Amino acid sequence: MAPPNRVFRTFGHKFKTNGLGFRERHFTLKKPEKTFRILVFGDSITFGVAIGNEQRYTNLLENILNIKIKKRKNMTIDRLEVLNFGV
């Protein structure tokens, strides 16, 4: 975990840490209604060393799953969040 609310570089890619010190967007501890969360813990691959945020597998997974959710009519959730806690 890095210091919270800071800007860093990893192999030329700039990234920010949130208030908890993770390379993840800010989120509320209480999840929004009709939102499902997946928490991903891991090492430097999960963290995304040497790649931009949009290339991390957690960001890609979130985008793919949200596209699939929108196509299904009988879902009880509106949004899925994949939160990255890689270090």
Side-chain angles (χ1 to χ4, degrees):
M1 186 165 60
N5 301 312
R6 299 276 178 87
V7 177
F8 297 93
R9 284 197 171 276
T10 173
F11 296 93
H13 294 276
K14 188 191 286 188
F15 71 92
K16 297 177 189 177
T17 56
N18 64 14
L20 299 173
F22 292 101
R23 183 183 178 184
E24 182 54 71
R25 65 186 175 267
H26 173 75
F27 60 92
T28 59
L29 294 180
K30 184 178 179 188
K31 69 178 181 63
E33 198 172 309
K34 293 192 172 190
T35 298
F36 185 81
R37 282 187 174 161
I38 298 172
L39 309 180
V40 180
F41 300 89
D43 59 8
S44 58
I45 293 172
T46 299
F47 175 83
V49 171
I51 59 175
N53 283 346
E54 68 283 351
Q55 297 169 309
R56 294 186 313 159
Y57 76 84
T58 51
N59 293 62
L60 296 171
L61 177 62
E62 180 177 294
N63 291 338
I64 290 167
L65 291 174
N66 277 309
I67 288 169
K68 291 192 177 286
I69 284 172
K70 287 182 178 150
K71 290 181 180 179
R72 299 193 81 174
K73 304 224 186 291
N74 59 346
M75 296 294 291
T76 58
I77 60 173
D78 292 335
R79 176 153 175 73
L80 191 134
E81 295 177 343
V82 178
L83 299 176
N84 186 318
F85 296 99
V87 292

